[in-house]
Structures are given as C-alpha cells and as structure tokens.
Amino acid sequence: MLKKLVLALTCFAAIAYADSVGNINLTKTMKVDRSLSPLAKQCVECHADKTPGIVNDWKSSRHAHAGVSCLDCHAVPADSPMAIKKEHPKDSGNHVSILVSPKTCAKCHSKEVEEFQQSGHARGGVQMFAKKGMIDLMYHYEGRDHPDLKDSPSATGCIQCHGMEIKLDKEGYPVPGKGWPNYGIGNAYPDGSVGSCKSCHSSHTFDMTEARKPSACASCHLGPDHPNIEIYNNSMHGKIFNAEGNKWKWDSAPDTWDVPDYRAPTCATCHMSGIGDLNTTHNVSLRLKWNLWAPHSKQRTGGFETAAFEYAKSGKMTAGNVLAGNPKGPEAARTEMKQVCKSCHSTKSTDSFFVSADMHVELYNNYHTDAKKMLDDLKAKGLLKADEWADEFQRIYYHLWHHEGRRMRMGAVMGAPDYAHWHGVFEVQQDIRKLQDIYDARIKSGKIE
Amino acid sequence: MLKKLVLALTCFAAIAYADSVGNINLTKTMKVDRSLSPLAKQCVECHADKTPGIVNDWKSSRHAHAGVSCLDCHAVPADSPMAIKKEHPKDSGNHVSILVSPKTCAKCHSKEVEEFQQSGHARGGVQMFAKKGMIDLMYHYEGRDHPDLKDSPSATGCIQCHGMEIKLDKEGYPVPGKGWPNYGIGNAYPDGSVGSCKSCHSSHTFDMTEARKPSACASCHLGPDHPNIEIYNNSMHGKIFNAEGNKWKWDSAPDTWDVPDYRAPTCATCHMSGIGDLNTTHNVSLRLKWNLWAPHSKQRTGGFETAAFEYAKSGKMTAGNVLAGNPKGPEAARTEMKQVCKSCHSTKSTDSFFVSADMHVELYNNYHTDAKKMLDDLKAKGLLKADEWADEFQRIYYHLWHHEGRRMRMGAVMGAPDYAHWHGVFEVQQDIRKLQDIYDARIKSGKIE
Amino acid sequence: MLKKLVLALTCFAAIAYADSVGNINLTKTMKVDRSLSPLAKQCVECHADKTPGIVNDWKSSRHAHAGVSCLDCHAVPADSPMAIKKEHPKDSGNHVSILVSPKTCAKCHSKEVEEFQQSGHARGGVQMFAKKGMIDLMYHYEGRDHPDLKDSPSATGCIQCHGMEIKLDKEGYPVPGKGWPNYGIGNAYPDGSVGSCKSCHSSHTFDMTEARKPSACASCHLGPDHPNIEIYNNSMHGKIFNAEGNKWKWDSAPDTWDVPDYRAPTCATCHMSGIGDLNTTHNVSLRLKWNLWAPHSKQRTGGFETAAFEYAKSGKMTAGNVLAGNPKGPEAARTEMKQVCKSCHSTKSTDSFFVSADMHVELYNNYHTDAKKMLDDLKAKGLLKADEWADEFQRIYYHLWHHEGRRMRMGAVMGAPDYAHWHGVFEVQQDIRKLQDIYDARIKSGKIE
C-alpha cells in the first residue's frame, strides 16, 4: 500500500518535472495558466461545427483539461516534412499536419514512446515492407499486379493493423489509396518516428482507461492467425471480465492500477501494467519468453527491438529483431510475467500452468520440424510449384504454422483450451498427415500432382 | 444546435398532428385519456399470470405509458385475414391476431414503415421464395426432399432472419413447422403487408434504444456470408463502442441522437440516423453505393425497393429490385454516407478511406469476372455436374462470391481489415487458383474428374 | 407472487435448519458469531500480501460475510488424501489442501452438489479417460506418443473444460504438466468426489450472479463442436441480453430470480433456474429431451447420470450414462423446458418452435444414418485406413457428426439460425456428398485412394 502511494506520488512529481524544466517547450505551466491561445480557440470553435466528434472527444479528454490544445499536437513549422503546405487556418501564418507522430507524443510522454519503440509493436509496419514474401502476397498474389487495384489488399487489410510508411503528396496530404487513414501500430512518419499511440488510445480522447480494456487490443489481435481476443474470451480471465468487468475500477493512476481494482487481468494487466513490484511498461515484449508467431518458436534472446531506431537513423525499412524481448533474457521475461500471475495464483499453480504451456509450444515445434523437413526436401528435389498459393503442399504448410500453429501455441500460453486444442493441435495433427500424403506421393512419383 | 431543437420540436408536432387529424382512427387523444379500456385491462391481468414476460415488457414500454394497449395492436375484426377464429377472451365478442404486421405498426408509425418498405430489408423474405436456386438449396439439397423433414432447413435457418409468407390454419394460427415463429425481417402477412418491426425493436418493449445498438443487427448480420457484427467488432468503431458504449446516451429523441451522445457510430448511426443535416431514415439502403452481396457488385442505380409493394398489390413473391438504393443514385448515396463520417473525420480522411474501399470492391469484381468466365465456359462445354453441391468447381465458386467474396468487400467498406484480408482476399486468391486447376483439368481431359 | 415469497422463506429456513441441526459440523451459528478464528485471521493477513487477488475476492464474497474462512474450505486432517504433507502455516499443526473438492462444498451446499452429480456435467472428466478413442486422440494422434510432450494436448486443451483425475505427488501437490490447474467441470478428486463448483462460480468469490450470466458457460461451451455461446449470441435471447443485460437484476435470491428481473433468458435461466413453478436445479440435464452431442441423437431415457457416483464408490473412470436426462423421461424434460419458454411466449409459439427444432434433429439423424451406413460398409470391406486421421472419409465423417452436425442440431434447438443453417445443415449436406464420392470410388476400385 505504502509502495503504491510512493509510486503514485513519484508519478505526479515526474509529470511536474517534465512540465517545468524538461525539453518540452511549454510557454505556460499547468499551474498558472491552462487557458487556450486565441488561435487554439479558433481551432475549437470552427471544428466544433465542421467535425464535432473530434472536438467533443477532445473536450472530455485529459488533454483538454490540462490545456493541451489542437495546436500542441497538430501545429508544425512551415518547413516540417509533416506540414500541409497551405496555411491553416487560411492566412493565419500557422501550419498544421494532418498526421501526429510518436515524436509529437514524446514531447510529453517520452518514457512511453521509448518503451514502445523497444517493443515488437514498433516493427509492425516497416518489417512488412522489408520482406519479399509479404510484398509478393499483398501486391502480386492478392493484388494480381493490377495497375489500378493492386494496392487495396494492403491498404484495406494488412496496413490497417500493421501500419505503413506514410508519404505526403505535394500539398502535404497523405497519398490516397495507399493505406492511409489507418490505425496501424507501426506507422513510419515523414519525421522519422515510428509507431502509433492512437492504435490503443483512440483519438481524440487518448484515454488511458480505454487501453486497459481487452477491446483495445481486439481490433488487431483477432482472427485466424492470432486470435488473441478470442483466446482471452475463452480463458477464465476473459470469462470473469465478461461477467463483471463493467463494474471494475479502470481509472486508477498509472502504476497503481492493481488488485482489487479488478478481479481478473486484461491484456494490458499482464503485458504492461505495474502489478506489485513490477513497473508499468509500454514494451509489450518485455514479459515474453517465446516468439509464438514465428514458423518455429524460439526463446526471445534478442534484447530490444531495433526497427524503429533503424528507421529513425537511416529511413530504411528492416525486418527488425525477431527475437526481441527482455534484455535480461527469456527466463527473466517469464519471471516478470509470473509475478503478475502470483497476485492471484499460488506459486505451485503458476509454475504448473507454464509447464504445460511450454510443453505445448515444444510439441508444436516438434510438428513444425517434421513439416519443414518435408518442405525443404521437396524444394531441394524441385517438387514445389513456383506459385506457392497454387501448391497444396505449400498452402497447408503455411496454414500449419501461420494459422493453426499460432493458435495452438498462443492458446496454450494464454489459457484458452479451445484454441490450444480444437483450433490448434487438432488441426495441426491433420495438417501433418495431409502434408505427409502429398510428400509421399511426390517423392514416389517424382512429380507434382 | 438550433437545427436539432427545431427538428425535435417538428418531430413532436408531427406526432400530435397524426394523433388528432391523421388517418389514424384513434378514439382517444393522448392528452386527455391514457386509461385503458376494461377489456384491455383484462388482457393485462390475465396475461400477467400466463405470460408475465410479455406483460412486464409492455409495462415498461413507451407504448404502455402512452396508453397503447394489447388490443391496439392485436385486436382485429372477426373477418380479418389475420384473425384467430375463436373469440378471445372467450365469449367477449373480441377477436385478436397472434400476428402483428407492419400495417398495424403503420397506424402510428407510417413514415417508418414506408421507408422500411422502400429498403432492401423489405424483400428479405419474398425474394427467397421467388428464386428457384434458393428453394432448391433449402428443400431439395438440404432438406433431402424428405416428406416429413424437408421444411426444417428453411424453418430453423433461412426464414429466421429473412422471413417468409406466413399462412394461417383454419383456426387462424400459423401453420406449425413451416418457419413460424421467427424474427425474420421480411415476413409477408395475410393482410398483404411485408416486414417486421420487431426484428430490431424486440417485442414487447419495441424499444428505440435497443435498435441503436450493434446487437440489434447482430442476430442476423453475422456468420460466413455477411459477418457484419464481426466486421464492426474488428473496426475502430466497434473497438471504441466495446470499450465504453455502456456509458453512452442512447435515448435521445429521433433525429437528435448525435455526437456527443456517443464517441463512435453503431450500425444504426451510419445507416439510419439523423446525423448533422441528414434525416433519420428506416430505409437502410439509402446511403449505399454498391450492392456488396451480389455475385458481381454493381452500383445501386435502381431507386426504391419494389418487392413489398408488389406483394401488397398482387400477393406475388418477387425477387425485388437488386439495385435498390438511393433514388438520387449511388453517388448521392455515398455523399450521404460521407456526411456521417465527416462528423468525426476530415474530408481528406473520409475520401481517402473510400478510395481504398472502392478499389477493393473492384478488385473483387476482377476476381469474379475470371471465375464467372470459367464457370460459363465449363457450363457451355457440359463440364459441370448437375448436382452443384457435389461439384467441387461449383462449390468453390459459390463460396468465392457468397462467403469470402462478401467478406472481402464488406470488410473493406466497413473498415475491418481481418475481413477485407484474412477472411476475404486471402481466401479469394486461393479459391481462384483452385478453380483454375479444376478448370484446366476439365478442359484438358474433356471430363469431370 | 405469493408462491415466490413462500419459496424465498422456505429457502432461508432451509439454510437456517442446515446450519443449526444438519450434519454440517459447525462450531458456531451464523447468528451469534461470525468472527474468524486467530488461525483464519493469520491466513488472511499473510495472503493479503502474498496473493492479494485471492484475499480481495474472498473479502467481497458472501462466504466472508457469513464467516466462512479460508480454513473452512482448505483445512483438512493431516491424513486426508487431499492434504499437503507439510504443516501450513509452518509449525501450526494445521494442514491444508491446495484442492477444494465438491465434497467440501457439499458441507453447506449439499443439494446443489447432489443435483450436479446427477447431471451430464459430472461425467465430463472421467468419461474422457474411459474411452479409448479419446485417449488415442489426445496422447497418440495429437501428442505423437512423445515421451516428454504427449501430455500437452490434454493438459492445455480437453482437460481444461472437461476435467481429469487429479493425483497428488508425495508432498501433496498436484503433479505438474498433467492438466492441473484447470477449470474443468468434471474433476475427480483424491477424496473420491467429482465435479467443480468453481467452473461456473469462479474462485474466490463463488458468486451466484456470475453463474447466471452467459459468460459463465462461454469459456467451455464455444467453438466448432458445441458453439453454445455463439448460438446464444445469434439468438433473439442473446441479442436482447447483449443490448441491455448490464441493467438487469442479477442478484435475486435463489428460486426468486424470474421475470421481470430480466427481459430475456440466459443459459442458466432455461437450464437451471426456478421459473414459475419449476424448482431451481443444478442438474443441467433435467430439462433436455435429446442428447444432441452424440453421433446419432437419441432421446434421454436414462435417468440420472451415474459416473460420479461410480467413481466415488469404486474409483473407476466410466463412460457414464449417455442417455442421462430427466428420470421422468424425455417428454417430461421437454415439458419442463417449455414451462420456461411460456413465461414470455404463447403456447402456440412455444410448441411451434419445438416442432421445427425436433424436425431438424431428425433430419440430422437422417443424414447420419446414411453416413454411418457407408462407414460401416467400408469398414466391413477393409476400405478404411487404420489411421483414422489420415483417412479423408473418416475425417469428414468425424466432422459431420462432431462439428457441423452438433451445430446443426444445437442451433435449431436454441434458436440460432446461422448455426442451424450455415455452420450446420449447409455443411452437412456438402459433407454427405463428399463421403458419397469417396465411398463410391472405394467400392468401385476396391482400394483406398
């Protein structure tokens, strides 16, 4: 209790410090003047008519109450790479950007942005465009290399969650039809920064409580390839949240949101929140032992994610650090995660849970080893079609790891039996038999069927 | 704000006008007498014991508070085509119908019923029974032409959402086992009227706020062929609703429900509500540019829906107007929809969103053109099986347009990347390759495999 | 109303009676002393620091308010088969069990536990380990007979909902990696009792209201093989709950929770609650006419479930009573269920609903009869592969009954058209055609393809 109080006070102190002497060029302190500038008032008055939803959101936000105006986020120097070329409002001498990047958010929330960029989240967008396989899938296979239409699979699909490199046209507006607007977590901005705070804290309230709820993650972490919200709903945690979550306390200050504010954890609780002695973090990879998304799961021995820093430095889109996790290593990551569990579960129960979960990851790897061996052998013998999506073997192999194999692993580690089993290993065991049949036939005949 | 007030007042005035001098034969005015007749009281007293759920619903409804009794909706002349033959209550001289049709609702809610009948919703039931393909699927392929059981696929499935032509037995009760009771949107009644208000405003509260929530649409707009609630939950709109919708204001008067009553739109907001200068409408087709459900998407150039009016006139079940939309044309429809978006999004953002969405619809059409060409060619050459469900080519073709193709299109237009992509184009691109393989083999061999 | 009041009073009287003169060895009465013993206080104080989630749950529970302490459930004699060998707390002379079985819950809640053990729920765990087919699937096919990993499919999957036979190691802790911890409904404990109250009333609040919500059932009754929560959400009942359930009254006393506390039933309402003249029951099989989970649906003519009683007597894991239902027979079960419906629906409507639903079950059986005939014939002729999961015929046959066939039947009986149809009969009719094709080819060629 005392610890929590100290934490809370430290937290307020930190905010005050940043406001008064940090590198955050505020012309006013929160204490003496929260009134808006005449220009900021003009924003609000005009947009209250034009886009009332935006203004109403903002009015109820903590930003508005702290005197953070439209201009504090949208105003940019005329020569900013983010700037709309025309003055806005007309003849005001002011320039705005339609985009707000993490660099802007970091003016006040530097710790959060830094942690975010050290997480796997930060490579969401750039890694996709650094991999030939993904580009082929989006533009060639799905987009059919169509001169006018090939952009829509990425623009309406992948980019919406993953993000993209946003480029502006001559007037300073994002090029239409390429993927903007989106709520992708890993957008790369003309100012060199990477990420998207509003993916989880939706504009224009940018609410802390919103990001603590499972729905914050649900618009991206769903579906056949990483059904994390379905997994949550299947778990005992989700079950309890769904029964009574609407009555929990969601607005405790950062690092103080803990039992008994809630009776079961949400996504944010386990992956980000300051439970017990743990610090709150915006690095969602920090408590993860395995990379469960990969074709073959490895332990996360890679330290921090690198893609965002690389982009900021060189403007290059890179695959990032596929083993990004906790710089102290995968076992340290697991220990941190277990600390969350132990708020409500005994050590015996917590440890036993992860014994089975890890076994299921290893069992998946066991399946994958066999599948990969067949794939490699067929490749070596020229028994794979060039068009992987017209090749039944390659189609099943892809689904084995990317769809059912992820469900099998993620279901086990997050306590969702239906995904560990029915949508997971039950399908994987059928996949491997189908692969074996095709493999045997091709090896026997020396031909692709 | 002033506009909204005027609208609200107009709205109240309209109700008063209709009550006092409209063609709505009320024997009392709302002003002077809201007490129930002795017979109406008898309904309530007896049914409070027999079906307390119904009476309790009604007691808390606006109907009850306005003095609209059971009899106002259920009492019918003895010779009505809707009437139960025996008097009810026994020896009362009164007749009731177990059914309440839109014609009855229109006694007070004429504008809503008319708009509804001009919408695609209104053809839900009758079009299904006007198409040989659908009848074959329900009764022959699924129902196996079984003398006793062939009705259950339609009765437990299709009809529950689509509706049916409800026929009464000699005693005036719906024939059992044919699809009644159901909550199908497009029921055709013995009195010639078509539709179902209670599909969205469930009996016996008939609540306006219920129909404003996503769940109102979710019991029909779900699943593999039009996963609209899943699409909504995947979208940023749904994400925000799921985080905080339980705190929004849902009971504003018609045409006044607008920002800041909510922070994100629901299905009803975009497709029906009076946002900004737009009028509220019960014609859900009015703001739609494309018919996204069709095998090949066309723009909605057909004006109002016709099926309900045709049924009222001739009693014929017709396929309706597959291009029903906005009588001012598809671009006017789109402009109206964009007006909703612009309450919260900039014009640039709104326009850019639809550029990608429309591209994805066109890309689907591009796929479908190729698939259809193969289908037609195989048909011309006698290379399709007569039993379409035993024919792998026809099975995949059906799924391409009816399942994954709809998801691809609807996901793009409603901002749901998982449906635009994983459940959409990702599957469509595999389908087309499978179709191509079967096509090639049949053309080469001149035989069905 | 009067009936309800009498019921409520009887209920309180029963509690008082059990407390004062029942075979429940309480050393205090609720009336005079609800203070905790010094040792019980020590539990709370120490665990408030170690596992604050547990203590906080308990503090707000009815247990805590009634003076039921940690020790009342966890303290066991030193020689109990459930006991942890070391004293806890250290040198206290006290022994605890990490497990709490239904036998413990029955000290106060004997009626509930007995009813539970008479229900199909009670065989969830033991039946799974009594069937060779299930053991083969979990350990051989899915677990690959892997010396170290073969346990994970059951441990992370099946057992989590079904339960298992929990065995303790020499120190008195559950053996890790075998399936504990889990929230399986049918755990068999070292003390011979079977079941799990906390599957629905999650620890450590053990809340009545939680179990009344659909989410209570949703963590197990979901997915491809029994999508009951999806079915509920698809139904008109679920739609109404999803729109307004957060405002209903959930905490009425047992047997008094009825209309107008809610506007639509949840799972518990129909299957367990004391609606009208019906008594509340924890035997969820009591109102069921059919066994919809079986390969071929039969009427439930078997009386009470037997597996839990058999395990208590002999320690044997048995398949249980697959026709367990209402001891008065399937029609009596249906009549009880209809009594629930009739709170809100007319008799005509209720009866007509079940006419269609039963037809759909029979139609499924009609499909299954044909499928089973082909299977049996191929088996007799040696035309099935020994590895059933490598055999396309057997794979499809399994999915026909276990996945889509259950959805078809359950969707019809619980009012979910998308499951009765699209996820049900629509897929079953395609399955039967695929089976026919394979069957024909094998019979013709005398070979497995």
Side-chain angles (χ1 to χ4, degrees), chain B residues 112-126:
Chain B
E112 287 76 8
V113 170
E114 192 184 4
E115 287 166 354
F116 174 89
Q117 290 175 335
Q118 292 164 344
S119 81
H121 265 160
R123 74 169 174 274
V126 297

Side-chain angles (χ1 to χ4, degrees), chain A residues 39-61:
Chain A
L39 189 56
K41 278 194 178 168
Q42 200 180 331
C43 299
V44 172
E45 276 164 24
C46 187
H47 277 276
D49 184 52
K50 292 202 166 161
T51 53
I54 295 177
V55 174
N56 275 301
D57 273 7
W58 171 82
K59 279 166 70 175
S60 66
S61 74

Side-chain angles (χ1 to χ4, degrees), chain C residues 61 69 85 98 102 116 141 148 155 167 187 193 196 246 250 252 284 300 392 433:
Chain C
S61 73
S69 74
K85 294 296 170 267
I98 201 165
F116 174 89
Y141 288 113
D148 303 321
K167 294 194 172 163
N187 279 323
S193 68
S196 178
N246 63 333
W250 294 97
S252 300
V284 292
R300 292 174 172 259
E392 189 68 2
R433 283 168 167 75

Side-chain angles (χ1 to χ4, degrees), chain A residues 115 118-120 270-272 278-289 300 303-305 324-337:
Chain A
E115 288 166 353
Q118 293 164 344
S119 81
C270 297
H271 294 286
M272 305 180 72
L278 285 173
N279 287 326
T280 300
T281 180
H282 275 65
N283 179 350
V284 291
S285 308
L286 208 59
R287 300 174 189 170
L288 303 181
K289 177 176 175 179
R300 292 173 172 260
F304 287 140
E305 176 51 51
N326 190 313
K328 295 179 196 151
E331 285 308 327
R334 172 59 60 80
T335 301
E336 291 196 16
M337 183 60 85

